[in-house]
Amino acid sequence: QYFGAGRKADVHDAIHTAYAFALVGGVILTVLGIAFSTPLLSIMNTPEDIFADSDIYLKIYFMSLVFMFVYNIGSGILRALGNSRTPLHFLIACSLINIVLDFVFVLGLGLGVTGVAIATFLSQLISAIAITVYLMKDENCQLDLRKIRFKRNILANQLKIGIPGGIQSTMYSLSNIIVQTAVNAYGTMVMAGWASDVKIESIFWLLENSLGIAITTFVGQNYGAGKKDRIIKGTRICLVMFIMMAVTISVLFAIFRYPLIGLFTSNEEAIEVGAQMIIYITPFYFLFAFVEVLSGTLRGMGDVFIPTIITMVCVCAVRVLWVLFVAPLFPGLICLEILYPITWGTASVAFIIYYLARKRKWA
């Protein structure tokens, strides 16, 4: 919004305040993550045969949170200024580094799960350093490490937008943890099939997240410039793009579900679980267009409170209540799988109603 309005001094203050928040927030969550990783795994009914490895992985993973914060804040800054290519280049490079380090630590040094975690830690560290150096040299950013500090008014505005969004993301994660806990009760092979499908679906979620970031950036700049007609047009185009992408991926996943799941496991039971998930979940990806795009549009305008309430009620609360009260009445994975389309559809209807109400106020 500051960049779209041409307020360079505020852009400068916003960048340095965001960086200060990334460092402080990353350190706090690193400490909390390491402290609570073991009890969290216990609460999630993690099977005993993978508990130790899971605990080691999580502790090392949490150590990299501060670097993740810095990279994501840095990427967000560049995208807000209209530069989405540079974060992509850094991400590609660091992903390749992560893969190479996986081979070195796992196959070369035989460190197993610990090696995977160390590779993630190092790649995140490299990405944080790389994007920080770039921001220090970029004309529009001019990041100065000596000027990283909190500006009270800027921080207040960032928290006003960021806290509801953070709560929304946290609620997503917590509701998914509750669903995962229910899945874990079915044993290791079912967990493996479920996890394999999650890996496949991550392709879709990365793409949908990129469209969400794009519309938020687009709307934020145009809202700052006072161009509401472009906001409406951009939102409409992004919805169409999202639905086309979702339908295409759904069809491809359904056709190639067995070989795709087979990339991650050779166990027949696990493969069947993953393939079944694809059939029951992926055809409804298009519903999430209205959740991601419309919430991204509203977020770009600084409207985050109502979207957060919609997400918490229609997605998170419904999932929790479903797992606690409906799933026990209808045992089986299908009952857990259809939960996702149900919550996406409920949230979509709510977002459409709220967005149309907001749009009428602009007329």
Side-chain angles (χ1 to χ4, degrees), residues 214-228:
I215 192 62
T216 299
T217 302
F218 178 84
V219 169
Q221 290 187 4
N222 282 278
Y223 188 77
K227 299 181 178 180
K228 294 181 179 178

Side-chain angles (χ1 to χ4, degrees), residues 47-244:
E48 194 63 36
D49 56 339
I50 62 171
F51 193 98
D53 281 341
S54 300
D55 195 35
I56 292 172
Y57 180 87
L58 268 185
K59 281 183 167 59
I60 298 175
Y61 183 86
F62 278 124
M63 290 171 62
S64 68
L65 276 186
V66 66
F67 308 128
M68 287 187 200
F69 266 52
V70 169
Y71 171 77
N72 283 306
I73 287 290
S75 297
I77 289 169
L78 289 174
R79 293 190 190 100
L81 301 175
N83 181 357
S84 60
R85 291 187 179 183
T86 299
L88 173 63
H89 295 159
F90 283 136
L91 185 62
I92 292 172
C94 291
S95 296
L96 293 174
I97 291 171
N98 197 344
I99 292 170
V100 171
L101 291 176
D102 279 337
F103 279 107
V104 172
F105 290 126
V106 178
L107 297 182
L109 300 178
L111 296 178
V113 172
T114 302
V116 175
I118 294 173
T120 300
F121 174 89
L122 291 176
S123 63
Q124 293 291 348
L125 171 62
I126 293 169
S127 67
I129 293 173
I131 204 156
T132 299
V133 171
Y134 184 90
L135 289 172
M136 292 170 65
K137 296 180 178 181
D138 186 88
E139 292 182 349
N140 291 319
C141 300
Q142 296 181 334
L143 176 68
D144 187 339
L145 300 182
R146 296 168 298 180
K147 295 181 180 179
I148 293 177
R149 60 179 58 88
F150 293 112
K151 291 279 186 177
R152 185 175 299 178
N153 62 321
I154 299 290
L155 180 63
N157 288 333
Q158 290 180 346
L159 293 178
K160 183 180 177 181
I161 296 175
I163 287 179
I167 292 173
Q168 183 173 323
S169 297
T170 301
M171 292 300 294
Y172 265 120
S173 297
L174 289 175
S175 63
N176 286 332
I177 287 173
I178 290 172
V179 174
Q180 184 67 54
T181 301
V183 172
N184 291 353
Y186 288 94
T188 303
M189 287 303 103
V190 171
M191 284 177 62
W194 192 281
S196 298
D197 177 77
V198 169
K199 290 186 177 70
I200 298 298
E201 288 191 3
S202 66
I203 297 172
F204 169 75
W205 295 117
L206 288 171
L207 290 172
E208 67 85 20
N209 185 56
S210 68
L211 286 174
I213 292 171
I215 192 62
T216 299
T217 302
F218 178 84
V219 169
Q221 290 187 4
N222 282 278
Y223 188 77
K227 299 181 178 180
K228 294 181 179 178
D229 57 326
R230 285 173 58 82
I231 293 175
I232 295 172
K233 183 177 180 181
T235 300
R236 184 171 62 248
I237 291 173
C238 197
L239 280 171
V240 173
M241 291 171 62
F242 194 116
I243 292 171
M244 291 175 62

